[in-house]
Amino acid sequence: MYRSHNCGELNASHINKEVTLAGWVQKSRDKGFIVWVDLRDRYGITQLVFDEERSSKEMLLQAQNLGREFVIQVKGTVIERASKNPNMPTGDIEILVSELTILNEALLPPFTIEDKTDGGEELRMKYRYLDIRRNPVKNSLIFRHKVTQEVRNYLSKEGFIEVETPYLIKSTPEGARDFVVPSRMNAGQFYALPQSPQTFKQLLMVGGMDKYFQIVKCFRDEDLRADRQPEFTQIDCEMAFIEQEDILNAFEGLTRHLLKEVNGVDIEKFPRMLYDDAMRLYGNDKPDIRFGMQFGELNEVAQHKDFGVFNSAELVVGIAVPGGNAYTRKEIDQLIDWVKRPQIGALGMVYCRCNDDGTYKSSVDKFYDEGDLAKWAEVTGAKAGDLICVLSGDKNKVRTQLSALRMEFAERLGLRNPKEFAPLWVMDFPLLEWDEDTERYHAMHHPFTSPKPGQLELLKTNPGDVKANAYDLVMNGNEIGGGSIRIHDKETQALMFDYLGFTPEQAKAQFGFLMDAFQYGAPPHGGLAFGLDRLVAILGGQETIRDFIAFPKNNSGRDVMIDAPAAIDDAQLTELSLKLNLKS
């Protein structure tokens, strides 16, 4: 065998034991008469020693010529280390090598294989197989494995059955663009890669598999960012004969289990927040509640004077920044420039200092007196020493802008502790949202989401007011899961398709298989899907997901390691009945 032990397990109890190790050369230190080599594998590092008194000249020379990342095997004796390293599990011992075998030489890596490397992100993605050798990436992948195993164990104990669903399916409108796959055997026709297993898990409920889950790849051809990949992984779940409360309890239980087993954190009960309240208090539907700075709507106390900017605004809204009165005028001007950036889009910002002596000083003192500003402080919850920041304009836009500013302050003030976890449910989303480009309603989640009980008739009169029987699980300002109670009868589903602008023929062509299945006794059902990549990253104390994915793609959707996507040759195009029409 290549090794009797790994490089992370030997300690003082193994002294005088003969062992065999194998791994990569992390680094070596050559003093001429003695050579130390750090040998690394997945489990840790063990120091090897070669010296002129106890090693042959040939072996000492061989050791002196070992390069970084050479793959070697050694046999030797565990001895006590003269200069111990208390920071290493193997720091009390070293291996006096009696036999050295070079299994494979290596080129000098393009970046150092160390925790703090000198390689940029694009370079490390190109050589991802080397990057995985570094502890941060290696440990992230091991952490993902642990989370995934805990998910499987928990759901299996709760009676869920893991069922695989197809990857080659039919293209259906679910909000994002599909990745399509041409069919050689059916010329001119295409499969789509699933954006989610939505319709299949509903069919599994019709099939009587009343508790289903799957850890599954999903695919969406959309613009990318640090926490989004074209292929991503869901923990996809569905249950039959349930109501919303059953779903919330089941997956709150799973999340509590993960927090406890993976992070050692106990959370008794997750708070619940209505979508409308989340937008009113935080400006987005995935609020980070680890800190305050809730929005205060100021229309009633700010639109009674001659300040036209506020008077013409649909919404005047502010936040109280704790300790913000310490900001200098220069720093506040920089914040104003920050909200004016195109990414935020605000036209400006009004501010008010809450002085320690109980007085107020604002950038609009010409229009507002101390009594007015005291009301601003009351509405926003500002205290002495705080800074009130106010934005105004279109309701939806200004909430988004102030939400971004709130998160920026949280970053600057160190309020987003990655080791603190604040989950909550956001509930009662709008069922439909109006799209200005197409001038029609679209499903906010997907076409199979059920309206809240008793609101079906509202579809005929005020479709924009209908609430969905839908819920998102949010943690630390990120949506980690979302789902809904589904429509399970053909008539309601047909009505939903009608309001979404599908003709009966289009609905039949796209979803006829599901409508047909509903005629054979579909049970009430609902579910939830976690974004595994994002969930693992947050549990691991990070916001971005790439280090928790073995081979991620860059922001252009490219795998720079294997150079994909790539062109295919003319013979393949002909075989697939495809003709390219590329425009420069």
Side-chain angles (χ1 to χ4, degrees):
M1 57 185 175
Y2 280 104
R3 56 188 179 184
S4 60
H5 298 77
N6 65 55
C7 293
E9 67 177 302
L10 297 174
N11 54 49
S13 68
H14 297 93
I15 288 175
N16 296 324
K17 186 177 181 65
E18 297 292 319
V19 298
T20 304
L21 300 180
W24 289 264
V25 173
Q26 175 73 16
K27 61 182 178 181
S28 61
R29 298 173 298 286
D30 182 2
K31 297 293 186 182
F33 61 92
I34 188 168
V35 177
W36 291 281
V37 173
D38 284 350
L39 186 66
R40 184 196 73 241
D41 64 9
R42 179 186 126 190
Y43 306 93
I45 291 176
T46 297
Q47 182 169 283
L48 314 178
V49 61
F50 307 80
D51 65 46
E52 61 184 13
E53 292 183 3
R54 295 173 290 184
S55 305
S56 67
K57 289 183 178 180
E58 293 79 7
M59 187 186 299
L60 185 61
L61 180 62
Q62 196 178 17
Q64 290 172 329
N65 288 308
L66 290 175
R68 279 179 177 261
E69 302 305 311
F70 275 35
V71 185
I72 65 172
Q73 179 192 47
V74 296
K75 295 181 180 179
T77 305
V78 181
I79 61 174
E80 186 174 4
R81 189 164 164 172
S83 179
K84 295 181 172 59
N85 184 345
N87 298 318
M88 290 174 59
T90 62
D92 289 342
I93 60 92
E94 59 189 3
I95 309 301
L96 178 60
V97 178
S98 59
E99 186 176 330
L100 167 63
T101 304
I102 297 177
L103 301 174
N104 218 331
E105 295 185 357
L107 295 174
L108 185 68
F111 54 86
T112 54
I113 312 297
E114 295 175 354
D115 290 5
K116 293 185 177 179
T117 182
D118 55 358
E121 184 177 53
E122 196 76 2
L123 180 65
R124 289 186 287 110
M125 289 181 72
K126 182 179 173 81
Y127 296 94
R128 184 64 165 181
Y129 45 84
L130 297 179
D131 202 26
I132 290 172
R133 295 180 188 175
R134 296 192 312 115
N135 284 326
V137 181
K138 176 198 73 177
N139 291 338
S140 293
L141 296 180
I142 294 171
F143 184 82
R144 181 186 178 114
H145 163 76
K146 180 178 180 180
V147 172
T148 304
Q149 289 303 103
E150 289 295 340
V151 168
R152 281 198 162 96
N153 292 340
Y154 182 88
L155 291 176
S156 297
K157 287 178 182 176
E158 292 295 314
F160 284 79
I161 304 300
E162 186 168 8
V163 182
E164 293 183 7
T165 54
Y167 281 157
L168 296 177
I169 66 168
K170 182 178 184 178
S171 181
T172 58
E174 292 191 40
R177 296 183 186 90
D178 288 323
F179 284 102
V180 294
V181 181
S183 171
R184 177 184 59 82
M185 294 180 290
N186 300 275
Q189 296 185 315
F190 297 81
Y191 298 105
L193 300 179
Q195 296 184 32
S196 77
Q198 181 60 49
T199 53
F200 285 100
K201 65 183 179 182
Q202 291 191 255
L203 292 172
L204 285 169
M205 296 303 102
V206 176
M209 303 295 289
D210 67 337
K211 284 186 171 184
Y212 142 91
F213 86 98
Q214 182 181 189
I215 297 177
V216 59
K217 281 287 185 187
C218 301
F219 307 86
R220 293 178 187 172
D221 187 5
E222 55 189 351
D223 293 336
L224 306 181
R225 55 179 186 243
D227 63 342
R228 181 182 288 169
Q229 290 275 298
E231 52 181 320
F232 57 96
T233 306
Q234 284 187 348
I235 309 167
D236 195 55
C237 308
E238 197 81 0
M239 302 169 70
F241 300 112
I242 46 79
E243 295 177 337
Q244 178 177 276
E245 195 67 23
D246 301 304
I247 298 283
L248 301 186
N249 289 335
F251 297 108
E252 185 172 313
L254 170 59
T255 311
R256 282 203 310 270
H257 173 80
L258 293 175
L259 287 167
K260 175 65 175 176
E261 295 301 316
V262 175
N263 297 92
V265 173
D266 282 306
I267 297 181
E268 284 290 317
K269 194 74 177 172
F270 295 4
R272 299 180 181 184
M273 185 180 298
L274 297 178
Y275 168 86
D276 289 344
D277 290 337
M279 297 304 295
R280 178 175 58 85
L281 294 173
Y282 298 99
N284 68 67
D285 58 7
K286 46 183 183 295
D288 191 335
I289 59 171
R290 286 175 292 180
F291 56 95
M293 287 192 280
Q294 289 186 353
F295 291 8
E297 297 190 353
L298 299 168
N299 289 45
E300 290 187 8
V301 296
Q303 288 185 325
H304 64 294
K305 294 294 179 74
D306 295 330
F307 189 47
V309 173
F310 283 178
N311 291 342
S312 62
E314 182 181 9
L315 177 65
V316 182
V317 61
I319 55 172
V321 182
N325 195 28
Y327 283 108
T328 65
R329 176 59 189 268
K330 181 180 179 181
E331 288 173 322
I332 293 176
D333 287 343
Q334 289 172 346
L335 285 167
I336 294 172
D337 290 339
W338 189 90
V339 300
K340 287 181 176 180
R341 296 181 311 150
Q343 302 96 311
I344 307 300
L347 296 178
M349 183 184 82
V350 169
Y351 66 90
C352 174
R353 294 182 180 276
C354 302
N355 298 317
D356 292 339
D357 62 4
T359 62
Y360 301 94
K361 178 67 177 174
S362 81
S363 57
V364 286
D365 280 348
K366 178 180 177 181
F367 301 97
Y368 297 95
D369 58 29
E370 289 271 328
D372 295 322
L373 300 177
K375 292 177 182 177
W376 291 17
E378 181 181 353
V379 172
T380 59
K383 300 178 176 60
D386 292 350
L387 179 73
I388 303 171
C389 296
V390 183
L391 301 181
S392 62
D394 174 79
K395 179 176 66 177
N396 293 330
K397 287 182 180 179
V398 78
R399 281 174 172 166
T400 300
Q401 292 161 358
L402 191 60
S403 176
L405 180 61
R406 175 180 179 267
M407 296 299 282
E408 177 66 15
F409 275 124
E411 290 290 345
R412 295 185 181 200
L413 297 172
L415 302 178
R416 304 191 71 203
N417 180 0
K419 295 184 178 180
E420 180 184 352
F421 301 96
L424 78 151
W425 291 103
V426 177
M427 305 164 62
D428 292 7
F429 286 78
L431 182 69
L432 306 171
E433 56 184 345
W434 182 257
D435 185 272
E436 296 289 348
D437 294 331
T438 60
E439 295 187 340
R440 65 181 180 89
Y441 283 105
H442 291 261
M444 192 163 188
H445 283 74
H446 52 65
F448 317 109
T449 300
S450 173
K452 293 289 287 186
Q455 295 201 3
L456 190 60
E457 288 301 311
L458 266 179
L459 277 175
K460 300 175 183 177
T461 55
N462 296 295
D465 293 339
V466 179
K467 298 300 184 184
N469 211 343
Y471 33 81
D472 279 358
L473 184 54
V474 174
M475 191 184 299
N476 297 2
N478 293 271
E479 177 198 335
I480 61 170
S484 66
I485 302 300
R486 321 301 186 193
I487 297 169
H488 67 278
D489 65 278
K490 183 179 179 180
E491 291 74 22
T492 304
Q493 189 64 73
L495 183 63
M496 178 60 72
F497 286 146
D498 182 49
Y499 280 103
L500 293 174
F502 290 88
T503 66
E505 294 74 23
Q506 289 171 328
K508 177 70 175 175
Q510 294 279 359
F511 301 107
F513 62 94
L514 186 64
M515 305 287 279
D516 290 344
F518 281 179
Q519 296 180 102
Y520 291 93
H525 60 282
L528 180 141
F530 289 88
L532 178 64
D533 310 296
R534 192 174 300 171
L535 172 63
V536 170
I538 293 171
L539 293 177
Q542 297 187 37
E543 291 273 335
T544 57
I545 64 176
R546 282 183 181 164
D547 278 354
F548 296 89
I549 298 173
F551 300 103
K553 293 175 174 58
N554 67 13
N555 284 344
S556 299
R558 294 199 65 82
D559 186 325
V560 295
M561 182 183 67
I562 64 172
D563 194 23
I568 60 175
D569 61 35
D570 290 341
Q572 283 181 287
L573 290 171
T574 301
E575 190 175 40
L576 294 169
S577 303
L578 295 178
K579 184 176 182 180
L580 299 183
N581 182 23
L582 299 177
K583 297 178 181 179
S584 58

